[in-house]
mmCIF file of all heavy atoms in Angstrom:
data_model
loop_
_atom_site.group_PDB
_atom_site.id
_atom_site.type_symbol
_atom_site.label_atom_id
_atom_site.label_comp_id
_atom_site.label_asym_id
_atom_site.label_seq_id
_atom_site.Cartn_x
_atom_site.Cartn_y
_atom_site.Cartn_z
ATOM 1 N N ASP A 1 -7.741 -9.813 23.085
ATOM 2 C CA ASP A 1 -8.231 -10.717 22.042
ATOM 3 C C ASP A 1 -7.397 -11.986 21.916
ATOM 4 O O ASP A 1 -7.940 -13.080 21.765
ATOM 5 C CB ASP A 1 -8.252 -10.012 20.679
ATOM 6 C CG ASP A 1 -9.283 -8.901 20.617
ATOM 7 O OD1 ASP A 1 -10.167 -8.860 21.500
ATOM 8 O OD2 ASP A 1 -9.195 -8.077 19.683
ATOM 9 N N GLU A 2 -6.065 -11.850 21.967
ATOM 10 C CA GLU A 2 -5.192 -12.979 21.639
ATOM 11 C C GLU A 2 -4.240 -13.391 22.755
ATOM 12 O O GLU A 2 -3.480 -14.341 22.593
ATOM 13 C CB GLU A 2 -4.367 -12.628 20.399
ATOM 14 C CG GLU A 2 -5.197 -12.256 19.197
ATOM 15 C CD GLU A 2 -4.334 -11.787 18.044
ATOM 16 O OE1 GLU A 2 -3.292 -12.425 17.785
ATOM 17 O OE2 GLU A 2 -4.700 -10.782 17.407
ATOM 18 N N GLY A 3 -4.241 -12.673 23.863
ATOM 19 C CA GLY A 3 -3.324 -12.990 24.949
ATOM 20 C C GLY A 3 -1.899 -12.593 24.596
ATOM 21 O O GLY A 3 -1.658 -11.648 23.837
ATOM 22 N N TYR A 4 -0.933 -13.310 25.145
ATOM 23 C CA TYR A 4 0.486 -12.985 24.942
ATOM 24 C C TYR A 4 0.859 -12.988 23.467
ATOM 25 O O TYR A 4 1.652 -12.168 23.019
ATOM 26 C CB TYR A 4 1.348 -13.997 25.713
ATOM 27 C CG TYR A 4 2.823 -13.679 25.704
ATOM 28 C CD1 TYR A 4 3.343 -12.715 26.552
ATOM 29 C CD2 TYR A 4 3.683 -14.338 24.840
ATOM 30 C CE1 TYR A 4 4.691 -12.411 26.543
ATOM 31 C CE2 TYR A 4 5.034 -14.046 24.822
ATOM 32 C CZ TYR A 4 5.533 -13.080 25.684
ATOM 33 O OH TYR A 4 6.876 -12.782 25.668
ATOM 34 N N LYS A 5 0.270 -13.886 22.699
ATOM 35 C CA LYS A 5 0.552 -13.970 21.264
ATOM 36 C C LYS A 5 0.172 -12.674 20.537
ATOM 37 O O LYS A 5 0.803 -12.288 19.553
ATOM 38 C CB LYS A 5 -0.199 -15.141 20.650
ATOM 39 C CG LYS A 5 0.113 -15.365 19.197
ATOM 40 C CD LYS A 5 -0.679 -16.526 18.632
ATOM 41 C CE LYS A 5 -0.384 -16.635 17.158
ATOM 42 N NZ LYS A 5 -1.531 -17.004 16.381
ATOM 43 N N GLY A 6 -0.832 -11.984 21.004
ATOM 44 C CA GLY A 6 -1.273 -10.742 20.388
ATOM 45 C C GLY A 6 -0.288 -9.605 20.522
ATOM 46 O O GLY A 6 -0.383 -8.600 19.819
ATOM 47 N N LEU A 7 0.682 -9.739 21.419
ATOM 48 C CA LEU A 7 1.686 -8.694 21.610
ATOM 49 C C LEU A 7 2.843 -8.813 20.617
ATOM 50 O O LEU A 7 3.683 -7.925 20.544
ATOM 51 C CB LEU A 7 2.234 -8.738 23.049
ATOM 52 C CG LEU A 7 1.191 -8.515 24.148
ATOM 53 C CD1 LEU A 7 1.843 -8.631 25.519
ATOM 54 C CD2 LEU A 7 0.502 -7.177 23.992
ATOM 55 N N GLN A 8 2.890 -9.889 19.874
ATOM 56 C CA GLN A 8 3.948 -10.066 18.882
ATOM 57 C C GLN A 8 3.622 -9.282 17.626
ATOM 58 O O GLN A 8 2.476 -8.967 17.350
ATOM 59 C CB GLN A 8 4.116 -11.548 18.550
ATOM 60 C CG GLN A 8 4.538 -12.370 19.739
ATOM 61 C CD GLN A 8 4.549 -13.852 19.435
ATOM 62 O OE1 GLN A 8 4.089 -14.277 18.389
ATOM 63 N NE2 GLN A 8 5.067 -14.631 20.363
ATOM 64 N N ASP A 9 4.658 -8.942 16.863
ATOM 65 C CA ASP A 9 4.457 -8.249 15.596
ATOM 66 C C ASP A 9 3.673 -9.156 14.661
ATOM 67 O O ASP A 9 3.939 -10.344 14.568
ATOM 68 C CB ASP A 9 5.798 -7.901 14.943
ATOM 69 C CG ASP A 9 6.543 -6.812 15.691
ATOM 70 O OD1 ASP A 9 5.877 -5.998 16.344
ATOM 71 O OD2 ASP A 9 7.779 -6.786 15.621
ATOM 72 N N SER A 10 2.709 -8.570 13.961
ATOM 73 C CA SER A 10 1.935 -9.351 13.003
ATOM 74 C C SER A 10 2.381 -9.005 11.590
ATOM 75 O O SER A 10 2.897 -7.920 11.328
ATOM 76 C CB SER A 10 0.442 -9.081 13.171
ATOM 77 O OG SER A 10 0.180 -7.705 13.049
ATOM 78 N N SER A 11 2.185 -9.929 10.703
ATOM 79 C CA SER A 11 2.585 -9.745 9.311
ATOM 80 C C SER A 11 1.729 -8.675 8.660
ATOM 81 O O SER A 11 0.537 -8.564 8.905
ATOM 82 C CB SER A 11 2.422 -11.063 8.544
ATOM 83 O OG SER A 11 2.628 -10.851 7.170
ATOM 84 N N ARG A 12 2.350 -7.887 7.793
ATOM 85 C CA ARG A 12 1.618 -6.864 7.055
ATOM 86 C C ARG A 12 1.260 -7.345 5.658
ATOM 87 O O ARG A 12 0.702 -6.612 4.869
ATOM 88 C CB ARG A 12 2.457 -5.597 6.961
ATOM 89 C CG ARG A 12 2.657 -4.964 8.314
ATOM 90 C CD ARG A 12 3.599 -3.791 8.225
ATOM 91 N NE ARG A 12 3.838 -3.259 9.533
ATOM 92 C CZ ARG A 12 3.458 -2.062 9.935
ATOM 93 N NH1 ARG A 12 2.819 -1.282 9.106
ATOM 94 N NH2 ARG A 12 3.702 -1.656 11.138
ATOM 95 N N LYS A 13 1.609 -8.582 5.368
ATOM 96 C CA LYS A 13 1.319 -9.146 4.054
ATOM 97 C C LYS A 13 -0.195 -9.260 3.878
ATOM 98 O O LYS A 13 -0.889 -9.748 4.767
ATOM 99 C CB LYS A 13 1.966 -10.520 3.939
ATOM 100 C CG LYS A 13 1.740 -11.207 2.624
ATOM 101 C CD LYS A 13 2.395 -12.570 2.606
ATOM 102 C CE LYS A 13 2.056 -13.304 1.339
ATOM 103 N NZ LYS A 13 2.553 -14.671 1.349
ATOM 104 N N PRO A 14 -0.714 -8.850 2.742
ATOM 105 C CA PRO A 14 -2.160 -8.951 2.549
ATOM 106 C C PRO A 14 -2.607 -10.411 2.480
ATOM 107 O O PRO A 14 -1.880 -11.273 1.987
ATOM 108 C CB PRO A 14 -2.393 -8.248 1.211
ATOM 109 C CG PRO A 14 -1.081 -8.192 0.538
ATOM 110 C CD PRO A 14 -0.030 -8.254 1.598
ATOM 111 N N HIS A 15 -3.797 -10.671 2.966
ATOM 112 C CA HIS A 15 -4.342 -12.029 2.936
ATOM 113 C C HIS A 15 -4.788 -12.416 1.534
ATOM 114 O O HIS A 15 -4.754 -13.581 1.163
ATOM 115 C CB HIS A 15 -5.521 -12.152 3.897
ATOM 116 C CG HIS A 15 -5.144 -11.921 5.323
ATOM 117 N ND1 HIS A 15 -4.350 -12.789 6.045
ATOM 118 C CD2 HIS A 15 -5.426 -10.903 6.165
ATOM 119 C CE1 HIS A 15 -4.171 -12.327 7.264
ATOM 120 N NE2 HIS A 15 -4.808 -11.182 7.368
ATOM 121 N N VAL A 16 -5.217 -11.441 0.766
ATOM 122 C CA VAL A 16 -5.726 -11.680 -0.577
ATOM 123 C C VAL A 16 -5.146 -10.635 -1.520
ATOM 124 O O VAL A 16 -5.022 -9.471 -1.162
ATOM 125 C CB VAL A 16 -7.272 -11.583 -0.592
ATOM 126 C CG1 VAL A 16 -7.817 -11.806 -1.988
ATOM 127 C CG2 VAL A 16 -7.886 -12.578 0.374
ATOM 128 N N SER A 17 -4.789 -11.050 -2.723
ATOM 129 C CA SER A 17 -4.326 -10.132 -3.761
ATOM 130 C C SER A 17 -5.214 -10.316 -4.984
ATOM 131 O O SER A 17 -4.876 -11.069 -5.905
ATOM 132 C CB SER A 17 -2.873 -10.422 -4.123
ATOM 133 O OG SER A 17 -2.036 -10.259 -3.011
ATOM 134 N N PRO A 18 -6.345 -9.646 -5.034
ATOM 135 C CA PRO A 18 -7.307 -9.902 -6.105
ATOM 136 C C PRO A 18 -6.809 -9.519 -7.495
ATOM 137 O O PRO A 18 -7.293 -10.051 -8.483
ATOM 138 C CB PRO A 18 -8.520 -9.053 -5.721
ATOM 139 C CG PRO A 18 -7.991 -8.031 -4.794
ATOM 140 C CD PRO A 18 -6.816 -8.643 -4.105
ATOM 141 N N ARG A 19 -5.840 -8.625 -7.602
ATOM 142 C CA ARG A 19 -5.362 -8.188 -8.910
ATOM 143 C C ARG A 19 -4.107 -8.932 -9.350
ATOM 144 O O ARG A 19 -3.529 -8.607 -10.379
ATOM 145 C CB ARG A 19 -5.083 -6.691 -8.878
ATOM 146 C CG ARG A 19 -6.363 -5.895 -8.647
ATOM 147 C CD ARG A 19 -6.073 -4.454 -8.651
ATOM 148 N NE ARG A 19 -5.490 -4.093 -9.940
ATOM 149 C CZ ARG A 19 -5.590 -2.916 -10.505
ATOM 150 N NH1 ARG A 19 -6.249 -1.977 -9.899
ATOM 151 N NH2 ARG A 19 -5.023 -2.674 -11.661
ATOM 152 N N ARG A 20 -3.659 -9.903 -8.595
ATOM 153 C CA ARG A 20 -2.457 -10.642 -8.945
ATOM 154 C C ARG A 20 -2.701 -11.475 -10.206
ATOM 155 O O ARG A 20 -3.771 -12.031 -10.419
ATOM 156 C CB ARG A 20 -2.046 -11.562 -7.809
ATOM 157 C CG ARG A 20 -0.766 -12.294 -8.115
ATOM 158 C CD ARG A 20 -0.238 -13.074 -6.964
ATOM 159 N NE ARG A 20 0.984 -13.753 -7.388
ATOM 160 C CZ ARG A 20 1.864 -14.221 -6.561
ATOM 161 N NH1 ARG A 20 1.684 -14.096 -5.269
ATOM 162 N NH2 ARG A 20 2.940 -14.815 -7.014
ATOM 163 N N THR A 21 -1.682 -11.563 -11.030
ATOM 164 C CA THR A 21 -1.764 -12.347 -12.251
ATOM 165 C C THR A 21 -1.906 -13.817 -11.886
ATOM 166 O O THR A 21 -1.251 -14.310 -10.969
ATOM 167 C CB THR A 21 -0.489 -12.142 -13.089
ATOM 168 O OG1 THR A 21 -0.297 -10.746 -13.289
ATOM 169 C CG2 THR A 21 -0.587 -12.839 -14.419
ATOM 170 N N ALA A 22 -2.741 -14.534 -12.616
ATOM 171 C CA ALA A 22 -2.987 -15.950 -12.338
ATOM 172 C C ALA A 22 -1.684 -16.747 -12.442
ATOM 173 O O ALA A 22 -0.829 -16.468 -13.294
ATOM 174 C CB ALA A 22 -4.013 -16.504 -13.314
ATOM 175 N N SER A 23 -1.537 -17.747 -11.585
ATOM 176 C CA SER A 23 -0.307 -18.532 -11.562
ATOM 177 C C SER A 23 -0.084 -19.270 -12.879
ATOM 178 O O SER A 23 1.059 -19.461 -13.305
ATOM 179 C CB SER A 23 -0.318 -19.518 -10.388
ATOM 180 O OG SER A 23 -1.420 -20.384 -10.489
ATOM 181 N N MET A 24 -1.166 -19.662 -13.554
ATOM 182 C CA MET A 24 -1.034 -20.326 -14.848
ATOM 183 C C MET A 24 -0.364 -19.389 -15.858
ATOM 184 O O MET A 24 0.514 -19.795 -16.615
ATOM 185 C CB MET A 24 -2.414 -20.747 -15.367
ATOM 186 C CG MET A 24 -2.394 -21.367 -16.744
ATOM 187 S SD MET A 24 -4.023 -21.397 -17.504
ATOM 188 C CE MET A 24 -4.231 -19.688 -17.942
ATOM 189 N N VAL A 25 -0.767 -18.116 -15.850
ATOM 190 C CA VAL A 25 -0.181 -17.136 -16.759
ATOM 191 C C VAL A 25 1.277 -16.882 -16.383
ATOM 192 O O VAL A 25 2.152 -16.773 -17.254
ATOM 193 C CB VAL A 25 -0.998 -15.824 -16.744
ATOM 194 C CG1 VAL A 25 -0.327 -14.753 -17.586
ATOM 195 C CG2 VAL A 25 -2.412 -16.077 -17.226
ATOM 196 N N GLU A 26 1.571 -16.816 -15.096
ATOM 197 C CA GLU A 26 2.954 -16.621 -14.657
ATOM 198 C C GLU A 26 3.842 -17.772 -15.129
ATOM 199 O O GLU A 26 4.962 -17.556 -15.594
ATOM 200 C CB GLU A 26 3.021 -16.497 -13.135
ATOM 201 C CG GLU A 26 2.440 -15.214 -12.617
ATOM 202 C CD GLU A 26 2.551 -15.086 -11.115
ATOM 203 O OE1 GLU A 26 3.114 -15.994 -10.455
ATOM 204 O OE2 GLU A 26 2.083 -14.059 -10.591
ATOM 205 N N ARG A 27 3.333 -18.992 -15.012
ATOM 206 C CA ARG A 27 4.113 -20.150 -15.478
ATOM 207 C C ARG A 27 4.323 -20.092 -16.989
ATOM 208 O O ARG A 27 5.397 -20.428 -17.494
ATOM 209 C CB ARG A 27 3.415 -21.448 -15.072
ATOM 210 C CG ARG A 27 3.542 -21.769 -13.592
ATOM 211 C CD ARG A 27 3.113 -23.198 -13.267
ATOM 212 N NE ARG A 27 1.730 -23.477 -13.655
ATOM 213 C CZ ARG A 27 0.677 -23.298 -12.870
ATOM 214 N NH1 ARG A 27 0.834 -22.830 -11.651
ATOM 215 N NH2 ARG A 27 -0.540 -23.591 -13.293
ATOM 216 N N LEU A 28 3.291 -19.672 -17.718
ATOM 217 C CA LEU A 28 3.402 -19.553 -19.165
ATOM 218 C C LEU A 28 4.455 -18.518 -19.553
ATOM 219 O O LEU A 28 5.272 -18.763 -20.447
ATOM 220 C CB LEU A 28 2.045 -19.186 -19.778
ATOM 221 C CG LEU A 28 2.015 -18.979 -21.293
ATOM 222 C CD1 LEU A 28 2.430 -20.262 -22.017
ATOM 223 C CD2 LEU A 28 0.630 -18.528 -21.738
ATOM 224 N N VAL A 29 4.464 -17.376 -18.883
ATOM 225 C CA VAL A 29 5.456 -16.337 -19.175
ATOM 226 C C VAL A 29 6.858 -16.871 -18.903
ATOM 227 O O VAL A 29 7.775 -16.696 -19.721
ATOM 228 C CB VAL A 29 5.174 -15.065 -18.339
ATOM 229 C CG1 VAL A 29 6.334 -14.082 -18.437
ATOM 230 C CG2 VAL A 29 3.883 -14.408 -18.785
ATOM 231 N N SER A 30 7.038 -17.533 -17.773
ATOM 232 C CA SER A 30 8.357 -18.088 -17.441
ATOM 233 C C SER A 30 8.791 -19.134 -18.461
ATOM 234 O O SER A 30 9.958 -19.177 -18.875
ATOM 235 C CB SER A 30 8.334 -18.717 -16.046
ATOM 236 O OG SER A 30 8.048 -17.740 -15.082
ATOM 237 N N LYS A 31 7.855 -19.987 -18.866
ATOM 238 C CA LYS A 31 8.157 -21.023 -19.848
ATOM 239 C C LYS A 31 8.562 -20.405 -21.188
ATOM 240 O O LYS A 31 9.566 -20.801 -21.794
ATOM 241 C CB LYS A 31 6.925 -21.924 -20.036
ATOM 242 C CG LYS A 31 7.089 -22.996 -21.075
ATOM 243 C CD LYS A 31 5.797 -23.799 -21.212
ATOM 244 C CE LYS A 31 5.850 -24.564 -22.504
ATOM 245 N NZ LYS A 31 4.618 -24.533 -23.237
ATOM 246 N N LEU A 32 7.793 -19.407 -21.648
ATOM 247 C CA LEU A 32 8.124 -18.743 -22.910
ATOM 248 C C LEU A 32 9.480 -18.052 -22.834
ATOM 249 O O LEU A 32 10.253 -18.062 -23.795
ATOM 250 C CB LEU A 32 7.035 -17.734 -23.281
ATOM 251 C CG LEU A 32 5.712 -18.321 -23.753
ATOM 252 C CD1 LEU A 32 4.667 -17.223 -23.891
ATOM 253 C CD2 LEU A 32 5.882 -19.065 -25.065
ATOM 254 N N ARG A 33 9.778 -17.459 -21.707
ATOM 255 C CA ARG A 33 11.069 -16.782 -21.541
ATOM 256 C C ARG A 33 12.217 -17.779 -21.659
ATOM 257 O O ARG A 33 13.213 -17.523 -22.327
ATOM 258 C CB ARG A 33 11.099 -16.070 -20.190
ATOM 259 C CG ARG A 33 12.428 -15.508 -19.777
ATOM 260 C CD ARG A 33 12.882 -14.398 -20.718
ATOM 261 N NE ARG A 33 14.125 -13.831 -20.259
ATOM 262 C CZ ARG A 33 14.325 -12.557 -20.020
ATOM 263 N NH1 ARG A 33 13.355 -11.699 -20.226
ATOM 264 N NH2 ARG A 33 15.470 -12.140 -19.582
ATOM 265 N N LYS A 34 12.069 -18.947 -21.015
ATOM 266 C CA LYS A 34 13.129 -19.971 -21.072
ATOM 267 C C LYS A 34 13.283 -20.532 -22.477
ATOM 268 O O LYS A 34 14.389 -20.782 -22.937
ATOM 269 C CB LYS A 34 12.827 -21.101 -20.087
ATOM 270 C CG LYS A 34 13.053 -20.712 -18.652
ATOM 271 C CD LYS A 34 12.685 -21.845 -17.715
ATOM 272 C CE LYS A 34 12.766 -21.379 -16.280
ATOM 273 N NZ LYS A 34 12.235 -22.353 -15.338
ATOM 274 N N GLU A 35 12.159 -20.737 -23.142
ATOM 275 C CA GLU A 35 12.203 -21.319 -24.483
ATOM 276 C C GLU A 35 12.759 -20.343 -25.524
ATOM 277 O O GLU A 35 13.503 -20.746 -26.412
ATOM 278 C CB GLU A 35 10.798 -21.763 -24.917
ATOM 279 C CG GLU A 35 10.275 -22.959 -24.185
ATOM 280 C CD GLU A 35 8.835 -23.285 -24.559
ATOM 281 O OE1 GLU A 35 8.229 -22.533 -25.361
ATOM 282 O OE2 GLU A 35 8.314 -24.283 -24.044
ATOM 283 N N THR A 36 12.367 -19.082 -25.422
ATOM 284 C CA THR A 36 12.704 -18.131 -26.481
ATOM 285 C C THR A 36 13.825 -17.169 -26.110
ATOM 286 O O THR A 36 14.555 -16.721 -26.983
ATOM 287 C CB THR A 36 11.466 -17.286 -26.853
ATOM 288 O OG1 THR A 36 11.076 -16.518 -25.708
ATOM 289 C CG2 THR A 36 10.323 -18.165 -27.308
ATOM 290 N N GLY A 37 13.938 -16.839 -24.832
ATOM 291 C CA GLY A 37 14.915 -15.849 -24.408
ATOM 292 C C GLY A 37 14.488 -14.420 -24.721
ATOM 293 O O GLY A 37 15.265 -13.487 -24.593
ATOM 294 N N TYR A 38 13.239 -14.235 -25.143
ATOM 295 C CA TYR A 38 12.728 -12.921 -25.504
ATOM 296 C C TYR A 38 12.554 -12.045 -24.260
ATOM 297 O O TYR A 38 12.386 -12.538 -23.145
ATOM 298 C CB TYR A 38 11.386 -13.018 -26.219
ATOM 299 C CG TYR A 38 11.443 -13.644 -27.593
ATOM 300 C CD1 TYR A 38 10.336 -14.277 -28.118
ATOM 301 C CD2 TYR A 38 12.591 -13.605 -28.370
ATOM 302 C CE1 TYR A 38 10.363 -14.851 -29.381
ATOM 303 C CE2 TYR A 38 12.634 -14.174 -29.627
ATOM 304 C CZ TYR A 38 11.532 -14.798 -30.129
ATOM 305 O OH TYR A 38 11.565 -15.353 -31.371
ATOM 306 N N GLY A 39 12.528 -10.744 -24.493
ATOM 307 C CA GLY A 39 12.315 -9.775 -23.436
ATOM 308 C C GLY A 39 10.844 -9.522 -23.198
ATOM 309 O O GLY A 39 9.969 -10.126 -23.831
ATOM 310 N N ARG A 40 10.586 -8.583 -22.313
ATOM 311 C CA ARG A 40 9.209 -8.335 -21.875
ATOM 312 C C ARG A 40 8.308 -7.844 -22.999
ATOM 313 O O ARG A 40 7.153 -8.225 -23.079
ATOM 314 C CB ARG A 40 9.195 -7.350 -20.723
ATOM 315 C CG ARG A 40 9.765 -6.022 -21.083
ATOM 316 C CD ARG A 40 9.899 -5.124 -19.900
ATOM 317 N NE ARG A 40 10.646 -3.942 -20.318
ATOM 318 C CZ ARG A 40 10.519 -2.778 -19.772
ATOM 319 N NH1 ARG A 40 9.700 -2.621 -18.778
ATOM 320 N NH2 ARG A 40 11.226 -1.768 -20.191
ATOM 321 N N ARG A 41 8.827 -6.993 -23.885
ATOM 322 C CA ARG A 41 7.995 -6.430 -24.957
ATOM 323 C C ARG A 41 7.534 -7.530 -25.921
ATOM 324 O O ARG A 41 6.365 -7.646 -26.256
ATOM 325 C CB ARG A 41 8.777 -5.363 -25.712
ATOM 326 C CG ARG A 41 7.967 -4.731 -26.824
ATOM 327 C CD ARG A 41 8.716 -3.593 -27.464
ATOM 328 N NE ARG A 41 8.784 -2.501 -26.496
ATOM 329 C CZ ARG A 41 9.675 -1.530 -26.521
ATOM 330 N NH1 ARG A 41 10.595 -1.509 -27.452
ATOM 331 N NH2 ARG A 41 9.656 -0.586 -25.621
ATOM 332 N N ARG A 42 8.463 -8.354 -26.341
ATOM 333 C CA ARG A 42 8.114 -9.410 -27.298
ATOM 334 C C ARG A 42 7.256 -10.486 -26.629
ATOM 335 O O ARG A 42 6.340 -11.023 -27.257
ATOM 336 C CB ARG A 42 9.374 -10.025 -27.900
ATOM 337 C CG ARG A 42 9.044 -10.898 -29.107
ATOM 338 C CD ARG A 42 10.247 -11.363 -29.827
ATOM 339 N NE ARG A 42 10.850 -10.266 -30.575
ATOM 340 C CZ ARG A 42 11.975 -10.382 -31.261
ATOM 341 N NH1 ARG A 42 12.619 -11.519 -31.292
ATOM 342 N NH2 ARG A 42 12.472 -9.350 -31.907
ATOM 343 N N LEU A 43 7.540 -10.796 -25.367
ATOM 344 C CA LEU A 43 6.708 -11.778 -24.664
ATOM 345 C C LEU A 43 5.272 -11.281 -24.532
ATOM 346 O O LEU A 43 4.321 -12.052 -24.729
ATOM 347 C CB LEU A 43 7.287 -12.081 -23.285
ATOM 348 C CG LEU A 43 8.553 -12.938 -23.255
ATOM 349 C CD1 LEU A 43 9.091 -13.037 -21.838
ATOM 350 C CD2 LEU A 43 8.292 -14.319 -23.826
ATOM 351 N N ALA A 44 5.095 -10.002 -24.218
ATOM 352 C CA ALA A 44 3.743 -9.441 -24.123
ATOM 353 C C ALA A 44 3.038 -9.543 -25.471
ATOM 354 O O ALA A 44 1.846 -9.871 -25.542
ATOM 355 C CB ALA A 44 3.805 -7.992 -23.652
ATOM 356 N N TRP A 45 3.765 -9.302 -26.541
ATOM 357 C CA TRP A 45 3.199 -9.379 -27.887
ATOM 358 C C TRP A 45 2.798 -10.824 -28.224
ATOM 359 O O TRP A 45 1.718 -11.081 -28.746
ATOM 360 C CB TRP A 45 4.222 -8.847 -28.892
ATOM 361 C CG TRP A 45 3.748 -8.893 -30.300
ATOM 362 C CD1 TRP A 45 2.844 -8.085 -30.908
ATOM 363 C CD2 TRP A 45 4.161 -9.843 -31.289
ATOM 364 N NE1 TRP A 45 2.672 -8.455 -32.206
ATOM 365 C CE2 TRP A 45 3.474 -9.551 -32.472
ATOM 366 C CE3 TRP A 45 5.053 -10.920 -31.289
ATOM 367 C CZ2 TRP A 45 3.645 -10.287 -33.636
ATOM 368 C CZ3 TRP A 45 5.222 -11.630 -32.442
ATOM 369 C CH2 TRP A 45 4.518 -11.310 -33.604
#
């Protein structure tokens, strides 16, 4: 299928992560953490 290149190790990383948290939400969590210093329980609340 791929010639010599096909004999190399291929990445096992998934191409798609449908259940991953949206990047906007990740940025919001990081921003709130920096601003407040709160832990995971209070940030979730």
Side-chain angles (χ1 to χ4, degrees):
D1 292 345
E2 303 174 43
Y4 186 79
K5 184 181 176 217
L7 299 178
Q8 298 174 351
D9 290 333
S10 56
S11 172
R12 294 174 184 246
K13 180 181 175 186
H15 297 291
V16 179
S17 299
R19 295 181 59 152
R20 183 173 179 161
T21 306
S23 59
M24 176 197 74
V25 175
E26 289 182 2
R27 286 193 301 270
L28 178 61
V29 169
S30 298
K31 177 182 163 223
L32 288 172
R33 171 64 177 235
K34 287 178 187 171
E35 289 175 357
T36 63
Y38 292 154
R40 61 187 171 152
R41 181 175 290 158
R42 192 172 287 177
L43 287 174
W45 179 75

